Amino acid sequence: MSPQPNKRPGRTIRSVQIAFNIIDLLQEEAGIGVTRIADELGHSKSTVHSHLRTLEERRVIVREGDGYRLGLRFLDVASHVRDQIGNFDIVQKEVDSLAEETGEIVQFGVEEYGKVSYLHKAQGEHAVETLSRVGTQQPMYSTSLGKTILAYLPPERIEEIAAAMEYEPKTANTITGPEELFEELEAIRERGYGIDDEENINGLRCVSAPVKNDETILGAISITGPSSRFTEDRLHGELADYVQSAANVIELNTKFS
């Protein structure tokens, strides 16, 4: 397995890893108890119980009957993380506006740990359902948001991320290696926007534009929809214009806010 970008060598704390594994598991399935958690994570029930007690004491999880769920404290943490993004209000307004105007899914993403992380998502009245949600991550090589952000990162960062990625084929159209990826990144820089041509999910297409502050890439904004509506002409025409215009609005408002 290739090393993950930004992963620093050094000693890790096992008890902290167990605690976060429990949190991850409760996010996937709320209401499970000690026995189920112990079986899923491969730890003794006494170990799991002590970690649950600690997390409960810190008000991170809540016990309900014989099971546990994540506590509302995570809402405060999430709000704090979002507010650390200096231009979030501007991004939110533009994403919501574009979703209403187009009727499709509009998303804003940033790069974190060599993947694209979704910062905000809005759905118009004709939007199709997708798996992406705020706070989750997707590969950079198979998404238009990821490829668009990657295209405008510093060269050394591009090399680092590209070398660390595992190019799992999501569909028949997915990029399968660094050389193909570098060609695609060059094409994105030339035309000013990125395309996902059913590369991450069959039947879905997406177009994204970079949001920059001078030469620094802040993220990217995208429109996603079914390939039946997102024809080649629309993808490279009005839809590309939509995201480039929205990106420009975010850039100007960020610069002068």
Side-chain angles (χ1 to χ4, degrees):
M1 180 179 292
S2 302
Q4 292 298 309
N6 288 336
K7 189 171 183 180
R8 299 176 181 178
R11 180 173 174 265
T12 59
I13 308 299
R14 182 173 178 269
S15 59
V16 176
Q17 290 179 329
I18 294 172
F20 275 94
N21 287 341
I22 291 172
I23 290 170
D24 288 343
L25 190 58
L26 290 178
Q27 184 179 0
E28 293 175 5
E29 189 173 355
I32 57 177
V34 175
T35 301
R36 175 73 182 281
I37 295 171
D39 289 343
E40 290 286 336
L41 300 183
H43 299 298
S44 68
K45 287 197 285 187
S46 61
T47 296
V48 168
H49 187 264
S50 63
H51 281 79
L52 288 169
R53 283 291 302 276
T54 303
L55 291 169
E56 187 179 9
E57 187 177 290
R58 296 293 300 167
R59 304 293 192 265
V60 173
I61 64 172
V62 175
R63 182 173 181 174
E64 293 183 335
D66 293 329
Y68 296 83
R69 65 166 174 84
L70 298 183
L72 296 180
R73 185 175 178 182
F74 278 102
L75 294 178
D76 180 51
V77 173
S79 177
H80 176 73
V81 171
R82 186 193 65 190
D83 290 344
Q84 288 180 313
I85 307 297
N87 62 346
F88 178 77
D89 290 345
I90 298 167
V91 167
Q92 183 181 40
K93 181 179 179 181
E94 199 59 31
V95 168
D96 291 349
S97 175
L98 190 55
E100 183 177 357
E101 183 176 4
T102 62
E104 305 290 358
I105 293 175
V106 179
Q107 300 177 110
F108 189 90
V110 299
E111 183 268 324
E112 190 173 73
Y113 290 106
K115 293 189 176 183
V116 59
S117 296
Y118 296 99
L119 180 64
H120 187 56
K121 176 180 180 178
Q123 294 178 270
E125 61 176 329
H126 304 302
V128 296
E129 195 61 45
T130 65
L131 294 176
S132 63
R133 64 181 189 274
V134 172
T136 61
Q137 295 183 318
Q138 285 286 327
M140 301 194 81
Y141 67 91
S142 62
T143 57
S144 68
L145 279 174
K147 290 186 294 181
T148 301
I149 295 169
L150 193 58
Y152 293 93
L153 288 172
E156 63 276 10
R157 182 68 178 141
I158 296 174
E159 292 280 354
E160 180 186 17
I161 293 173
M165 286 192 294
E166 295 181 5
Y167 296 84
E168 177 189 350
K170 304 282 187 176
T171 72
N173 294 344
T174 308
I175 288 173
T176 56
E179 289 187 12
E180 189 181 356
L181 176 63
F182 292 142
E183 290 178 6
E184 176 69 6
L185 299 183
E186 183 59 35
I188 291 170
R189 288 188 285 266
E190 287 177 1
R191 65 179 175 240
Y193 59 90
I195 295 292
D196 166 4
D197 185 11
E198 300 186 62
E199 298 166 48
N200 200 52
I201 299 175
N202 282 315
L204 283 183
R205 282 178 170 160
C206 184
V207 57
S208 303
V211 175
K212 298 184 288 182
N213 185 2
D214 295 324
E215 296 304 311
T216 302
I217 182 73
L218 303 177
I221 185 170
S222 70
I223 304 176
T224 302
S227 55
S228 58
R229 289 202 297 264
F230 281 46
T231 62
E232 284 289 318
D233 287 345
R234 288 196 72 211
L235 205 61
H236 292 280
E238 63 172 311
L239 295 173
D241 291 341
Y242 271 131
V243 290
Q244 287 179 302
S245 176
N248 184 246
V249 170
I250 296 171
E251 289 174 346
L252 289 174
N253 284 327
T254 299
K255 184 174 291 187
F256 297 109
S257 62

